[in-house]
Amino acid sequence: MRERKQKRILEVSSSSSESQDYDSSYSDPDYVAGTSYQRSSRKNFNINPCINNPNQATEFGSSRRNSGVVATRRRRILRRRPGASNKSNRGVFSKKRTILSWMIDLGIIFEGMRVWYIRDKEKIIEGTIKRDGVRCNCCHKVITVYGFEEHANEGHVKEPYAHIYLVDWGCHLLGWIYYKGLLRPEELARCGFNLVEPQKDASDLNDDACMICADGGDLICCEKCPSTFHPDCMGMKKIPQGEWLCPFCICKFCGTGGPGDLHECKQCQRRYHLDCINSPRQPSSPDSPTKFCGKSCEEVFSEIQEKHLGVRKELADGYTWSLVQMKLDRDPHSNGEILHEITIGNSKVSVAWTVMEEIFMPVIDRYTGINITQSVIYNRESNLRRVNFRGFYTAILERNDEFISVASIRVHGTKFAEMPFIGTRERFRGRRMLQKLLAQIESALRMLNVENLVIPSVPELVPMWINKYGFTHIESNLMTELIKYNTLMFPSAVRLHKSLVTHAAASAVTKTDEANKNGTGLVRGKGFEKLAFFDLNLEPPKEDDDA
């Protein structure tokens, strides 16, 4: 047990064009944070995970408890960027966000570039690049890249970027996206590993914040890893004597750290002994004994990878939604369909990050300087578990290839999923866009047999979530489970959850699934008409027809 002290920042040098050295009174000099991207045959890229304008950062850290006195908190949690009402920002907020516009903004393609749709080395149709699609020469209309493929009578292929040919540069659009867009040093740096190392002269090697609430104060330290916890957050009535191991350093089944090696589940990230998983009470697939802690986690992972990840799902009125995740490496033996899926999925993650930058002020961890929002979107791993964001997916709502709403999701087995970030672009607010995306997210989670959706709420909005939208405070039995997992939390925020297995919810999702199967899209009747507005920064719109 030890008490953390307030410490000044350690200034970290930067080699990234995105970064800028700065000083702040909110960091921990015991640690040096950096990021590195490791890929075979490529150089590591080390960057400072700080932001361009430190005055606009949203910092979260700890209160300091000394002799029972709680110091004044200085936090600005999940602030929203100035909206379109700010004249200087109108151009940024009015821009269409598509993969093509992302490439145009990077300067790797240009509006007006000639393109062909090629199939079997034969030119089928011609057009020119625009920010929001391709201007087809046959109808002189700007259509989506998928619409351009349909004009070529190749709509069944569903790989437009692999068949659109950049005439002036003599290459296909898919390869140009990969080599010129995704392999840029700045992009590789965002995909990096959040390496957090103690300074050479550091006397304390443990984290400064509680794994459960992300706050500081009197913390109990794990003997095997840097993780720290408040005894109250762990539900401890007294401080354990002798060696104490945290939930992440013990087997989830037998509750001990030994004997034998511990393996980490690929889905829920809990650890386990092979002997425990092979016991009759914990059946597991014999084909993957060291990847998953049990059949349920294996099924959740397989379902996401095979039926949801990278799949462009069509809804009514031209809307689509997809679930993507940054994948750093690709198998050189993968077929063209897989390469198209990975490259476009990675590109969507990059565009989703520009949307999150537009919506939210940067959320910076005060101890490490890590950009939390960016790390979540790029599902970046770390050696410090509290800032290890492996396993996050990005859900995206689009219309005609234009990004509208974005959410971050991580599934912790079948017990619960967390959603720390969700937002809609300024120009689409007040049109029920979050409800459209949320309806699909909840439907997908129910298909995975996930029981609860957990969010962090701003304290002032807790009564609204409870009274208007059916959320409740975390129940004791769910909290007992939640403290065993690595979840993202913000100091002074309040955890709420929504059950996904109620009778009414099950009825609603059945209607939605049937509607989607029939091609009619989202259900607007009872069940989804007044879904909770999952924007943690703004008061929800009035419940009228335009909400």
Side-chain angles (χ1 to χ4, degrees):
M1 188 77 175
R2 57 99 171 97
E3 184 180 51
R4 302 298 297 167
K5 304 296 183 182
Q6 184 97 345
K7 298 175 180 179
R8 64 180 181 82
I9 192 171
L10 172 73
E11 189 169 321
V12 185
S13 63
S14 169
S15 60
S16 169
S17 60
E18 288 190 310
S19 306
Q20 178 175 323
D21 295 342
Y22 70 97
D23 282 327
S24 167
S25 60
Y26 291 85
S27 189
D28 185 351
D30 282 350
Y31 283 103
V32 176
T35 57
S36 63
Y37 175 81
Q38 295 182 354
R39 178 190 291 270
S40 57
S41 75
R42 291 195 64 86
K43 179 182 178 182
N44 290 345
F45 292 87
N46 297 314
I47 69 166
N48 174 5
C50 301
I51 59 169
N52 286 326
N53 186 351
N55 295 323
Q56 291 183 338
T58 299
E59 298 166 346
F60 70 88
S62 72
S63 64
R64 302 303 178 185
R65 301 171 187 163
N66 296 306
S67 303
V69 178
V70 180
T72 302
R73 297 170 186 251
R74 181 182 175 184
R75 304 187 183 100
R76 300 179 301 279
I77 299 177
L78 297 179
R79 288 180 56 198
R80 179 175 295 281
R81 285 188 181 276
S85 58
N86 186 333
K87 293 183 179 181
S88 63
N89 289 320
R90 285 179 182 172
V92 174
F93 287 93
S94 63
K95 282 185 178 181
K96 289 194 173 184
R97 298 287 188 186
T98 66
I99 291 179
L100 291 180
S101 71
W102 169 68
M103 298 180 69
I104 290 171
D105 290 340
L106 291 176
I108 56 180
I109 63 171
F110 305 96
E111 286 195 83
M113 288 186 66
R114 294 185 301 151
V115 294
W116 298 341
Y117 187 94
I118 292 181
R119 182 71 170 171
D120 297 326
K121 299 182 179 181
E122 178 184 352
K123 179 180 69 174
I124 300 177
I125 197 172
E126 299 182 34
T128 54
I129 293 288
K130 297 293 181 183
R131 288 191 64 87
D132 47 350
V134 179
R135 185 178 185 276
C136 180
N137 284 3
C138 69
C139 63
H140 304 291
K141 294 180 179 179
V142 177
I143 54 180
T144 68
V145 291
Y146 286 92
F148 190 60
E149 186 174 59
E150 290 176 358
H151 274 220
N153 294 320
E154 297 288 337
H156 62 282
V157 178
K158 304 296 183 183
E159 296 178 14
Y161 296 92
H163 296 281
I164 292 178
Y165 185 77
L166 300 172
V167 178
D168 297 327
W169 287 346
C171 64
H172 286 86
L173 184 57
L174 186 70
W176 201 250
I177 292 173
Y178 180 75
Y179 288 107
K180 294 295 184 179
L182 299 176
L183 291 186
R184 294 176 302 118
E186 298 89 344
E187 188 67 21
L188 293 176
R190 296 191 191 109
C191 302
F193 183 92
N194 282 331
L195 181 63
V196 182
E197 295 180 314
Q199 287 197 54
K200 294 180 181 179
D201 58 348
S203 58
D204 186 350
L205 304 183
N206 290 95
D207 193 7
D208 262 1
C210 173
M211 277 288 302
I212 310 303
C213 69
D215 214 339
D218 295 332
L219 303 167
I220 184 171
C221 307
C222 178
E223 299 292 340
K224 281 194 175 181
C225 75
S227 299
T228 58
F229 304 79
H230 289 126
D232 287 346
C233 290
M234 294 296 294
M236 294 178 178
K237 295 182 179 180
K238 60 180 181 179
I239 305 301
Q241 302 300 312
E243 183 179 80
W244 180 78
L245 301 181
C246 74
F248 310 109
C249 293
I250 60 174
C251 173
K252 66 177 291 185
F253 301 120
C254 70
T256 68
D261 294 332
L262 287 171
H263 298 267
E264 186 171 294
C265 178
K266 194 172 183 179
Q267 178 59 42
C268 72
Q269 300 180 32
R270 294 288 306 283
R271 292 186 173 184
Y272 58 90
H273 292 121
L274 283 181
D275 289 342
C276 293
I277 198 175
N278 291 330
S279 64
R281 62 189 175 91
Q282 297 296 339
S284 177
S285 169
D287 298 328
S288 54
T290 62
K291 292 182 179 179
F292 301 97
C293 64
K295 188 173 179 62
S296 62
C297 275
E298 186 174 357
E299 289 177 346
V300 167
F301 183 84
S302 298
E303 187 87 3
I304 292 175
Q305 298 295 317
E306 296 172 8
K307 297 184 179 181
H308 296 284
L309 189 62
V311 179
R312 183 174 179 266
K313 300 183 179 182
E314 297 184 358
L315 308 175
D317 302 323
Y319 291 96
T320 62
W321 90 280
S322 55
L323 193 70
V324 296
Q325 185 182 63
M326 178 61 71
K327 293 184 177 293
L328 298 183
D329 297 300
R330 66 179 189 180
D331 184 350
H333 302 293
S334 298
N335 59 40
E337 181 180 355
I338 297 299
L339 293 180
H340 187 277
E341 177 184 308
I342 292 175
T343 301
I344 299 308
N346 287 358
S347 301
K348 285 190 173 185
V349 170
S350 299
V351 180
W353 165 238
T354 67
V355 172
M356 281 295 191
E357 273 194 308
E358 177 184 314
I359 297 172
F360 295 107
M361 306 291 274
V363 182
I364 306 299
D365 180 60
R366 64 180 288 179
Y367 303 108
T368 62
I370 288 171
N371 188 322
I372 298 296
T373 319
Q374 184 185 88
S375 295
V376 167
I377 291 293
Y378 282 87
N379 64 288
R380 282 160 64 162
E381 296 185 48
S382 176
N383 59 317
L384 185 62
R385 187 174 292 273
R386 184 174 59 82
V387 289
N388 183 358
F389 302 112
R390 176 168 66 89
F392 268 105
Y393 297 92
T394 300
I396 302 167
L397 178 69
E398 302 172 71
R399 188 179 189 189
N400 296 328
D401 291 348
E402 182 177 4
F403 282 49
I404 298 173
S405 299
V406 176
S408 298
I409 307 291
R410 182 160 58 179
V411 182
H412 298 275
T414 57
K415 194 65 177 178
F416 71 95
E418 62 172 321
M419 185 171 65
F421 296 109
I422 187 167
T424 296
R425 297 192 65 210
E426 178 79 19
R427 61 197 297 258
F428 293 105
R429 290 176 195 157
R431 304 184 194 177
R432 297 179 180 266
M433 295 300 151
L434 274 176
Q435 284 86 337
K436 288 180 184 290
L437 179 57
L438 182 60
Q440 300 308 312
I441 291 172
E442 290 188 353
S443 176
L445 291 175
R446 290 189 182 101
M447 291 176 64
L448 297 172
N449 296 317
V450 176
E451 299 175 12
N452 296 278
L453 180 61
V454 177
I455 64 168
S457 172
V458 177
E460 307 86 81
L461 299 184
V462 168
M464 176 197 70
W465 294 117
I466 293 175
N467 298 328
K468 289 187 177 181
Y469 301 112
F471 279 80
T472 62
H473 289 279
I474 295 290
E475 298 170 357
S476 58
N477 60 340
L478 179 57
M479 193 64 196
T480 301
E481 283 295 313
L482 188 143
I483 63 177
K484 301 173 184 176
Y485 295 83
N486 176 22
T487 57
L488 178 56
M489 186 58 173
F490 307 98
S492 81
V494 179
R495 279 194 177 98
L496 302 174
H497 87 284
K498 182 177 184 180
S499 174
L500 300 178
V501 294
T502 62
H503 176 74
S507 174
V509 74
T510 299
K511 293 179 182 179
T512 301
D513 292 339
E514 290 176 354
N516 288 335
K517 289 178 182 178
N518 296 332
T520 57
L522 293 175
V523 174
R524 290 189 175 276
K526 186 176 181 181
F528 282 133
E529 190 67 26
K530 299 297 180 183
L531 283 172
F533 187 78
F534 267 70
D535 190 322
L536 307 183
N537 302 275
L538 298 178
E539 192 77 22
K542 294 181 180 179
E543 295 183 354
D544 52 32
D545 293 337
D546 296 327

